[in-house]
Amino acid sequence: MSVKPKLTYFNLRGRAEVIRYLFEELQVEYEDFRFEMTEKDNVMNPLKADGTLAFGQVPLLQIDGINIVQSKAAARYIGNKYGLGAKNAQQEALIDILALGLDDASFGLGVAWRAGDKRDELMAKYAQEELPKWLGYYETLLKKNNSGTSFFVGDSLTWVDFAIFDFLCWLDRFPNSLDNFESLKAFKQRIASRPKIAAWIARRPVTHI
C-alpha cells in the first residue's frame, strides 16, 4: 500500500504554495500538514533532532521514502515524477534558469518583508527599482516561447510555470505592477483560470501570506 505524500509547513502559502499548486493540478492526494507559529518548536525540533530537516527549515515534502527540503527541489521532484518535468536536457536547463532566477527576483522582496519598521519604505523601493527589471526579463523569456501565448518552456505545462505563477501572485500587493507586462499578466490569468487551480484558490485556507 503506497503512502500518500506529506507536506509540512506553516499555516501560510509562503514557500509551500507552489508544491500545493502542483499536487492540486495533478490531482495527487497528499497530506497538507500545517502548523501555527506558536507550534513551531513542537513540530520542528523533533524533525531537526532526527535529521529529517536537512537544513532545519520547512517546507518538508515526504514522498517515496525520502525527505525533500527546499521548495524548488520538491517542485522539481513532483514535476519529474508526474509528467511536468523537462522533456530533454535543453528544456531542463531552461527550467533551471527560470526557477533559479526567481530566487534573485524575489530576494529584495524578502529583505523588505523582514525589515520591520522599514518594511513599507523598502517594499516601495523594491517595487519601483528592482521589480520592473525582473518582470522585464521574464516577459522577454516568455515571449521567446510560442510568442508568449502559452507556457515558459516547450508546448506544455512544466513545474516551473507554477513557480513563476506563485511569484506573480505575490505581486498582488503591488497594484498595477503587471500593467506594462501584458504577456506575464495574461500568463498569470491563464494559470489562475485552470479549473483545478481556480478551485484550490477558492477553497484554500485564508492566510496573510
Side-chain angles (χ1 to χ4, degrees):
M1 181 178 177
S2 62
V3 177
K4 65 183 178 182
K6 179 179 180 179
L7 175 62
T8 298
Y9 193 61
F10 300 103
N11 184 27
L12 302 170
R13 297 188 303 278
R15 294 184 181 275
E17 197 66 7
V18 63
I19 300 169
R20 298 182 183 119
Y21 286 140
L22 287 165
F23 280 143
E24 295 296 331
E25 173 68 22
L26 292 160
Q27 293 293 277
V28 173
E29 186 179 359
Y30 70 106
E31 180 181 353
D32 187 11
F33 179 77
R34 297 168 180 248
F35 59 94
E36 303 298 334
M37 289 293 184
T38 54
E39 302 172 295
K40 176 181 177 181
D41 289 343
N42 288 339
V43 172
M44 292 181 62
N45 284 350
L47 297 173
K48 293 177 183 179
D50 68 12
T52 299
L53 296 179
F55 304 132
Q57 301 168 319
V58 290
L60 164 68
L61 176 63
Q62 295 173 289
I63 185 171
D64 296 337
I66 59 175
N67 302 314
I68 305 177
V69 294
Q70 298 294 316
S71 59
K72 289 184 179 65
R76 182 183 292 110
Y77 186 90
I78 295 166
N80 290 337
K81 178 179 174 67
Y82 294 105
L84 293 181
K87 292 182 171 59
N88 53 52
Q90 288 82 5
Q91 285 194 4
E92 186 170 10
L94 288 171
I95 288 172
D96 284 346
I97 288 167
L98 291 160
L100 296 173
L102 291 174
D103 293 339
D104 291 333
S106 61
F107 179 78
L109 178 60
V111 171
W113 186 258
R114 296 187 292 270
D117 292 343
K118 291 190 174 182
R119 177 186 289 179
D120 290 345
E121 175 189 345
L122 292 182
M123 291 282 271
K125 183 177 180 180
Y126 171 79
Q128 294 167 7
E129 299 178 8
E130 193 72 8
L131 181 58
K133 175 182 73 175
W134 283 99
L135 291 177
Y137 293 154
Y138 277 86
E139 177 90 352
T140 297
L141 290 167
L142 178 58
K143 286 181 176 179
K144 285 183 177 181
N145 189 53
N146 296 322
S147 301
T149 60
S150 58
F151 311 107
F152 271 89
V153 178
D155 296 321
S156 59
L157 274 172
T158 64
W159 67 266
V160 82
D161 289 305
F162 292 95
I164 295 168
F165 171 70
D166 185 46
F167 172 69
L168 296 177
C169 288
W170 270 86
L171 305 185
D172 290 346
R173 67 197 69 243
F174 302 121
N176 308 316
S177 59
L178 293 178
D179 283 357
N180 293 326
F181 306 96
E182 291 299 326
S183 293
L184 283 179
K185 190 174 184 179
F187 167 82
K188 180 186 174 188
Q189 184 57 41
R190 284 197 300 275
I191 300 299
S193 299
R194 295 181 69 83
K196 292 163 188 172
I197 298 301
W200 167 245
I201 291 172
R203 75 172 192 277
R204 68 187 173 188
V206 176
T207 60
H208 71 286
I209 58 173

